[in-house]
Structure formats: structure tokens, C-alpha cells
């Protein structure tokens, strides 16, 4: 029994170590040589693995540098899924964003200056980063729609709750997000507004990193603006997607 449990754990640990080694080697090469001028074969040689091993772990070259792409895409939706009883989506996302600023979270743009410059110097990396933010907004819209479908939408009678607009909207005014379930119009609008604040915070942090500012100073400068931005959304979304109490 012990061996049966240990073997998969060891296998996963080795996979994680290999993935990290590949990403670290790629990051060094991209910073030193530039993203476009670095080949997958060079990354494989630097990491001491086969070229196929690199592509198995990272099917997209851009994700060798943006190796937190899954965390970046899923962060906003996860904050909604994990909101506390009585907490709205807005409150959960505010808490997550401000906490990320305080922690200097890389998913909010905190990185080394050379790392940030490598991204801005590459059109492919800039496009991939934009795509990841768009996917994150789409995942957030799905999370908000799921919250509404579960009966934890807004408390306002003229919004998504008592009028039944979630039920009718899903049938008459919806779109499939990333091939998933249809997402109603109001959830998409809410996701756009909420993700815009988060994305603007990321952009401001990222630009300040490029300018050479220290992480603590960046967080102190950006935090008040983030608070004001979330405050402005309170009237529109303060009661949207509130998780029911116990």
C-alpha cells in the first residue's frame, strides 16, 4: 500500500521538477537572447532534456516564460468559487486583488525588470499575455453564471434574481465561452467590469516594474487606485453573486 501511494507521488514530483528546470532554463535564455531568437532545441539542451520533453510539458513556446498561465487564467474564477458565505463576487475579487498587491503576487504583474522587458520586446509574448487575460475574463463569466444558476445571484429584483433573466437569458441572449456552457449577458458584463479592474492593476504594476520601481513602492502606489476602482463598482455589483449564508 505504501509503495503504491509513493510511486505516483514520486512520479509527479519528478515531473514537476523537470517542468521547473525547463522553465528556468528557458527564462534565462529568453532574457539573455530574446524570445524569438531562442529555439526549443536550445532550451532542451540547457535543461538537459530531449526536445520532445520540452514540448510535452509546454506545447506553446510562450508558456515556457509565462509558466503561471493556468494560475493566471483561473485566479478570478477561483476567487468567486471560494468566496465566503454572505460574500459577493465583487468583495471576493477585491480581497483577492488587494491581497495579491500586498504579497507582490507575480500573477498581478510583479516580476523582475528583465523578465518584464523580455515580454514587452516580444509581440508573441504580448499577444499571449493578452490572450491569457481574455481567457481569465471568460472563466470569470462562467463562474458568475454558475453562481447565478445555483440561486446565488443578485438580490435586486430588477437584475438577475427574481425576474428570471438568468433562465431566459441563457436561452435567448447568451454565448458559449471557451466551448463551455452558455453564459448569460449580465454575467458577461459583470465579468468584463470586474476583470477590467484586475487587468488595469496588472498593467499598472507591470509598467512600474519596467520603470525599475521597487515592489513595495509599487504596491503602495497602486493599492489606493485599486480600492477606489472597486468602490466605484459597489453600487452596480455589490449584491451580485452573493454566496448564500449557511
Amino acid at each position: 500500500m505504501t509503495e503504491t501511494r509513493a510511486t505516483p507521488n514520486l512520479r509527479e514530483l519528478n515531473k514537476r521538477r523537470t517542468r521547473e528546470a525547463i522553465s528556468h532554463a528557458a527564462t534565462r535564455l529568453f532574457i539573455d537572447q530574446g524570445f524569438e531568437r531562442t529555439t526549443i532545441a536550445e532550451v532542451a539542451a540547457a535543461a538537459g532534456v530531449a526536445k520532445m520533453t520540452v514540448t510535452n510539458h509546454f506545447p506553446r513556446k510562450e508558456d515556457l516564460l509565462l509558466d503561471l498561465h493556468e494560475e493566471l487564467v483561473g485566479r478570478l474564477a477561483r476567487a468567486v468559487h471560494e468566496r465566503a458565505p454572505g460574500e459577493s463576487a465583487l468583495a471576493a475579487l477585491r480581497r483577492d486583488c488587494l491581497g495579491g498587491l500586498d504579497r507582490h503576487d507575480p500573477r498581478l504583474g510583479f516580476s523582475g525588470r528583465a523578465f518584464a522587458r523580455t515580454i514587452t520586446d516580444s509581440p508573441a509574448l504580448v499577444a499571449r499575455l493578452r490572450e491569457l487575460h481574455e481567457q481569465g475574463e471568460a472563466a470569470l463569466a462562467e463562474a458568475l453564471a454558475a453562481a447565478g444558476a445555483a440561486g446565488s445571484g443578485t438580490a435586486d429584483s430588477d437584475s438577475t434574481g427574481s425576474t428570471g433573466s438568468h433562465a431566459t437569458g441563457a436561452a435567448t441572449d447568451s454565448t458559449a465561452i471557451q466551448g463551455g456552457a452558455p453564459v448569460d449577458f449580465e454575467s458577461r458584463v459583470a465579468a468584463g467590469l470586474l476583470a477590467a479592474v484586475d487587468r488595469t492593476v496588472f498593467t499598472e504594476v507591470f509598467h512600474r516594474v519596467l520603470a525599475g520601481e521597487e515592489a513595495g513602492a509599487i504596491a503602495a502606489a497602486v493599492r489606493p487606485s485599486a480600492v477606489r476602482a472597486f468602490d466605484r463598482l459597489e453600487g452596480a455589483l455589490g449584491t451580485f453573486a452573493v454566496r448564500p449564508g449557511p
Side-chain angles (χ1 to χ4, degrees):
M1 291 292 291
T2 302
E3 291 182 0
T4 302
R5 288 196 302 269
T7 301
N9 290 341
L10 181 60
R11 186 180 301 116
E12 288 303 315
L13 178 61
N14 288 334
K15 286 176 61 178
R16 184 163 61 249
R17 287 174 173 170
T18 299
R19 180 182 176 87
E20 290 174 353
I22 293 170
S23 178
H24 291 162
T27 298
R28 290 193 298 269
L29 288 172
F30 293 154
I31 290 175
D32 291 342
Q33 302 177 177
F35 178 78
E36 275 76 17
R37 291 190 296 274
T38 301
T39 66
I40 297 297
E42 289 175 314
V43 171
V49 299
K51 183 178 177 180
M52 183 175 293
T53 302
V54 175
T55 56
N56 284 342
H57 282 278
F58 298 94
R60 296 187 61 154
K61 182 183 176 184
E62 293 87 350
D63 292 338
L64 283 162
L65 188 72
L66 301 171
D67 60 332
L68 291 177
H69 59 281
E70 293 178 354
E71 289 289 322
L72 188 61
V73 168
R75 183 174 65 86
L76 300 182
R78 187 175 302 110
V80 170
H81 287 308
E82 295 176 355
R83 69 198 188 285
E87 188 176 39
S88 68
L90 171 61
L93 292 171
R94 176 202 294 263
R95 177 168 48 79
D96 184 80
C97 180
L98 298 181
L101 284 172
D102 294 340
R103 294 189 307 272
H104 308 158
D105 193 331
R107 298 173 301 176
L108 273 179
F110 289 95
S111 65
R113 189 179 185 184
F115 184 95
R117 178 60 62 189
T118 300
I119 293 177
T120 58
D121 286 345
S122 168
L125 287 171
V126 170
R128 177 58 172 157
L129 188 58
R130 185 184 306 114
E131 181 183 24
L132 293 175
H133 279 125
E134 291 171 352
Q135 291 176 355
E137 180 181 327
L140 174 59
E142 290 186 342
L144 293 173
S152 55
T154 177
D156 295 337
S157 61
D158 60 348
S159 188
T160 60
S162 62
T163 61
S165 61
H166 266 75
T168 58
T172 62
D173 190 9
S174 60
T175 185
I177 302 295
Q178 297 183 8
V183 176
D184 62 280
F185 180 84
E186 189 165 2
S187 293
R188 285 184 279 135
V189 171
L193 292 171
L194 293 166
V197 175
D198 195 84
R199 187 161 51 244
T200 303
V201 168
F202 179 100
T203 301
E204 183 66 18
V205 169
F206 193 82
H207 286 167
R208 288 176 178 271
V209 169
L210 281 172
E213 296 183 30
E214 186 267 335
I218 294 173
V222 176
R223 200 180 201 280
S225 297
V227 169
R228 287 193 296 271
F230 282 113
D231 284 346
R232 291 183 184 278
L233 292 180
E234 192 67 39
L237 296 174
T239 58
F240 186 81
V242 175
R243 168 160 279 175

